[in-house]
Amino acid sequence: MKYDFFKMIGLIFLLSACTSTPKDSRKLLSHFKDKEAIKATIISDFERWGILNPMGIVKLDNSITVGYRNSNTNISIVDIENNRRRDIIPRGAGPGEAAYVNGPTAVDNNIIAAIDINTGNLFKCNIKQALKDSAYQPQIHKLPENARSLIMAVSDTFMIATGLYKEGKYMYYSFPDDTYNFFLDYAPFPGYDDMSLETQNILFRNNMLEIRPDKKAFACVNINCGMLDICNIDGKKIEEVKNICYYYPKVHIDEGKTASVAYARDNDMGFEDVEVTNDYIYVLFSGRKYSEEGADAFTCHNLLVFDWTGNPVKAYELDIPLTYISYDEKERAIYGIGYNPEAVLVKYNL
């Protein structure tokens, strides 16, 4: 079983004791009064489409787009009905290529985006055109050096991103005029009151985020702890609505000449993916330890639902654990990458 390199990158584990988490991940589910166990429908195994280690998923109409990083490609699009696959963004350093991208993420009903974290190139691809025309290639938007990002959510006119910035926690990037600004500070981290912005960005770099369909808000979660950020988008400004931390990561931090962050092997993994609608925020929750589960710690048996003020709404217990999710508004269903035990495309009706 293979998992996204991004979820593993930067997870420098220590065997020695680290700063303990002041809140217990095991108590997180007690905040949800409404709970339900639900069963998945298996749509297909990914091996059927020649995909062995899918990472990230976007479901648009009758297609899915997944990260599939083999020796030749970064992203694969699959026409589910016709069992047809189209690979885009070749691996490499040449024009139109990328060594490694984060994504995919949905832009609208036809467009997905992915970002090359090495060059700052942002790829936008029309799914329908890519499946129809074998010669079609994604558009490339070159981001400025200071705006290079690790994780992003993209709309048609702007991008919200996180990265190793010198200013602020989030970046708002406007495509029409190629302008950008940084917003918000991090909440205090217990035991490290004077932590620098550089170290904070390293500590919380493993994020997942999604823009609300009305483009007026976004949600961001952290893979390594139980942290949920809810923010409004007001024009070209980002305003914090609520920062919720059910538990912090167990880490050792060294702010020497070069800041370093090492996670304890018994750190409780956190919120592994997020999806949003205009009404709710859907979060995959792990709460498992790498020291006990190995790579299985990145799989999630719980899907949590919050409203846009951060109130817990419902907790679903999943019979097939998931690593990534995508919400289908028309079907009111969650599609995800599950493991049973190999990678499968599954659907949960909510």
Side-chain angles (χ1 to χ4, degrees), residues 212 228 230 241-244 279 281 306-312:
R212 200 165 66 189
L228 166 65
I230 301 173
V241 175
K242 197 167 189 179
N243 173 266
I244 306 166
D279 297 317
I281 301 167
F306 299 87
D307 64 23
W308 281 96
T309 58
N311 295 315

Side-chain angles (χ1 to χ4, degrees), residues 24-91:
D24 193 342
S25 69
R26 292 170 294 182
K27 298 178 181 179
L28 192 155
L29 293 175
S30 66
H31 293 271
F32 294 81
K33 306 305 179 185
D34 188 1
K35 300 176 183 177
E36 181 184 353
I38 55 177
K39 293 186 178 295
T41 299
I42 298 177
I43 306 300
S44 176
D45 59 83
F46 278 93
E47 190 173 0
R48 176 184 185 181
W49 300 310
I51 299 173
L52 303 180
N53 54 330
M55 298 170 283
I57 182 172
V58 173
K59 167 73 165 54
L60 295 175
D61 292 330
N62 295 318
S63 72
I64 59 165
T65 304
V66 297
Y68 178 43
R69 301 171 187 98
N70 59 20
S71 59
N72 300 313
T73 191
N74 280 284
I75 300 286
S76 290
I77 307 166
V78 175
D79 181 336
I80 299 174
E81 288 187 344
N82 298 310
N83 289 315
R84 188 160 53 94
R85 175 182 136 197
R86 165 78 194 277
D87 294 338
I88 59 172
I89 314 178
R91 293 288 295 274

Side-chain angles (χ1 to χ4, degrees), residues 90-135:
R91 293 288 295 274
E97 299 178 339
Y100 180 88
V101 302
N102 277 337
T105 185
V107 178
D108 60 26
N109 291 332
N110 295 313
I111 309 294
I112 63 96
I115 192 168
D116 184 335
I117 62 175
N118 294 317
T119 65
N121 286 341
L122 181 73
F123 295 82
K124 288 186 178 181
C125 178
N126 186 302
I127 297 302
K128 290 184 177 179
Q129 289 186 30
L131 288 172
K132 183 179 180 180
D133 181 3
S134 61

Side-chain angles (χ1 to χ4, degrees), residues 3 269 272 286-291 293-300:
Y3 295 88
M269 301 306 297
E272 302 301 302
S286 168
R288 305 164 80 182
K289 301 178 189 297
Y290 188 87
S291 60
E293 307 283 350
D296 284 344
F298 296 100
T299 63
C300 303

Side-chain angles (χ1 to χ4, degrees), residues 4 14 58 68-69 75 87 95 129 179 203-204 259 278 317:
D4 193 345
L14 290 183
V58 173
Y68 178 43
R69 301 171 187 98
I75 300 286
D87 294 338
Q129 289 186 30
T179 60
L203 174 62
F204 294 111
N278 284 328
E317 182 180 347

Side-chain angles (χ1 to χ4, degrees), residues 72-254:
N72 300 313
T73 191
N74 280 284
I75 300 286
S76 290
I77 307 166
V78 175
D79 181 336
I80 299 174
E81 288 187 344
N82 298 310
N83 289 315
R84 188 160 53 94
R85 175 182 136 197
R86 165 78 194 277
D87 294 338
I88 59 172
I89 314 178
R91 293 288 295 274
E97 299 178 339
Y100 180 88
V101 302
N102 277 337
T105 185
V107 178
D108 60 26
N109 291 332
N110 295 313
I111 309 294
I112 63 96
I115 192 168
D116 184 335
I117 62 175
N118 294 317
T119 65
N121 286 341
L122 181 73
F123 295 82
K124 288 186 178 181
C125 178
N126 186 302
I127 297 302
K128 290 184 177 179
Q129 289 186 30
L131 288 172
K132 183 179 180 180
D133 181 3
S134 61
Y136 171 83
Q137 295 298 322
Q139 296 179 342
I140 300 176
H141 188 100
K142 181 71 174 180
L143 297 175
E145 180 74 26
N146 292 339
R148 291 187 182 181
S149 305
L150 295 176
I151 291 296
M152 82 295 176
V154 182
S155 79
D156 54 344
T157 59
F158 68 88
M159 175 178 79
I160 305 293
T162 63
L164 303 180
Y165 307 135
K166 295 180 180 180
E167 308 175 57
K169 181 178 182 180
Y170 296 109
M171 181 186 70
Y172 179 102
Y173 189 95
S174 172
F175 292 117
D177 54 13
D178 282 323
T179 60
Y180 57 95
N181 260 309
F182 301 94
F183 297 90
L184 303 184
D185 297 321
Y186 288 91
F189 187 79
Y192 295 91
D193 295 336
D194 299 323
M195 193 188 308
S196 68
L197 176 61
E198 176 190 11
T199 305
Q200 289 173 319
N201 278 328
I202 294 173
L203 174 62
F204 294 111
R205 69 186 178 274
N206 292 335
N207 297 316
M208 307 295 277
L209 55 89
E210 285 292 332
I211 298 170
R212 200 165 66 189
D214 66 7
K215 304 174 187 176
K216 295 180 179 179
F218 70 90
C220 179
V221 299
N222 191 270
I223 291 170
N224 302 314
C225 64
M227 188 173 291
L228 166 65
D229 244 6
I230 301 173
C231 298
N232 282 338
I233 302 169
D234 183 10
K236 294 183 180 181
K237 296 181 179 179
I238 296 172
E239 300 172 346
E240 186 173 271
V241 175
K242 197 167 189 179
N243 173 266
I244 306 166
C245 188
Y246 288 100
Y247 63 96
Y248 300 95
K250 186 182 288 188
V251 296
H252 174 78
I253 297 170
D254 183 1

